[in-house]
Amino acid sequence: AQSVTQLDSQVPVFEEAPVELRCNYSSSVSVYLFWYVQYPNQGLQLLLKYLSGSTLVESINGFEAEFNKSQTSFHLRKPSVHISDTAEYFCAVSTLYNQGGKLIFGQGTELSVKP
Amino acid sequence: DGGITQSPKYLFRKEGQNVTLSCEQNLNHDAMYWYRQDPGQGLRLIYYSQIVNDFQKGDIAEGYSVSREKKESFPLTVTSAQKNPTAFYLCASHVGMRGPRSAQYFGPGTRLLVL
């Protein structure tokens, strides 16, 4: 069985500072990894995903995540955050054997960007 | 535009009443999911369906029921047996077994409140 742990429930940071949201997973088989973002009172939006190939994946709004197989991690980073990045971020894992795309989610990390 | 719609945005339930949340998708996805979101608890899977006329219980199915008569539609009924229904409900879809490497896509959510 797979599991996902997001190590920080809340991350406060000042505008233009760098940020890292940590995600660790547990799985006995190869995984696919996802980061989703949720703005207040909205659904989840896919931010980026790792399926295979290059271990560094990027989103269109400056976030990046690196798949580290030896440390079973998929941390999300941004070198300079904006007020508009304030949201909740969810890490999720799937595998080829999770028929129908069933995802296992972490508990979420609230990113709060202060001016 | 392809996407997932959920209605209503807000729903009020009286004690002892059954209520139904609507979820429709025009993405031609085979698989659909219902999640419940409570503050600090992340997303918990209620029910999922990988094909029309078939569905499986998730982690917290008690007090809920679903149907999947059409590929596009996956309504969720919150029954009177669900004693603590106040939550944010999210519907998602996935291409299904045709695409294990694909992501889930989410609707905007329905907030259910008890009167």
Side-chain angles (χ1 to χ4, degrees):
Chain A
Q2 293 79 42
S3 67
V4 177
T5 303
Q6 291 184 242
L7 296 156
D8 306 292
S9 60
Q10 294 179 322
V11 173
V13 64
F14 287 106
E15 194 174 18
E16 297 183 6
V19 72
E20 178 179 80
L21 306 184
R22 296 180 293 169
C23 172
N24 284 94
Y25 69 92
S26 171
S27 176
S28 57
V29 299
S30 295
V31 295
Y32 306 131
L33 293 156
F34 305 84
W35 275 101
Y36 285 86
V37 58
Q38 184 181 33
Y39 299 101
N41 293 311
Q42 294 185 25
L44 276 66
Q45 300 173 30
L46 180 66
L47 191 59
L48 47 75
K49 60 185 178 182
Y50 170 78
L51 303 177
S52 64
S54 173
T55 56
L56 185 66
V57 289
E58 299 177 351
S59 72
I60 57 173
N61 58 355
F63 282 95
E64 63 180 30
E66 185 159 20
F67 170 56
N68 188 320
K69 188 175 182 180
S70 62
Q71 297 186 7
T72 60
S73 68
F74 191 54
H75 301 333
L76 183 69
R77 301 184 182 97
K78 189 170 186 181
S80 175
V81 293
H82 303 290
I83 298 285
S84 59
D85 293 322
T86 295
E88 188 152 23
Y89 292 79
F90 291 93
C91 182
V93 64
S94 178
T95 75
L96 181 64
Y97 307 103
N98 277 347
Q99 292 184 349
K102 192 176 173 187
L103 288 175
I104 308 299
F105 283 91
Q107 297 294 80
T109 298
E110 256 187 68
L111 175 63
S112 176
V113 181
K114 304 175 188 306
Chain B
D1 280 334
I4 303 173
T5 56
Q6 290 186 242
S7 62
K9 187 169 182 177
Y10 295 94
L11 185 58
F12 298 91
R13 193 190 92 161
K14 295 179 183 176
E15 200 159 329
Q17 186 182 40
N18 292 355
V19 292
T20 297
L21 286 62
S22 169
C23 178
E24 304 276 331
Q25 55 98 359
N26 61 4
L27 299 168
N28 197 33
H29 284 176
D30 289 325
M32 297 186 74
Y33 300 80
W34 274 106
Y35 295 92
R36 171 178 171 143
Q37 186 177 24
D38 297 277
Q41 295 198 47
L43 278 73
R44 292 184 289 169
L45 182 63
I46 305 173
Y47 268 99
Y48 65 104
S49 167
Q50 294 176 358
I51 198 166
V52 174
N53 292 323
D54 187 44
F55 48 83
Q56 289 79 40
K57 292 182 180 179
D59 302 316
I60 55 163
E62 188 174 345
Y64 300 96
S65 67
V66 294
S67 63
R68 187 87 188 276
E69 297 175 2
K70 298 187 301 182
K71 188 175 185 177
E72 302 79 16
S73 178
F74 191 40
L76 173 74
T77 297
V78 184
T79 75
S80 57
Q82 173 49 244
K83 297 307 179 188
N84 184 23
T86 297
F88 192 49
Y89 290 86
L90 288 162
C91 179
S93 74
H94 181 273
V95 57
M97 285 186 274
R98 296 177 283 125
R101 294 155 55 94
S102 300
Q104 282 189 18
Y105 292 90
F106 284 79
T110 292
R111 189 165 297 280
L112 177 60
L113 300 164
V114 177
L115 293 176

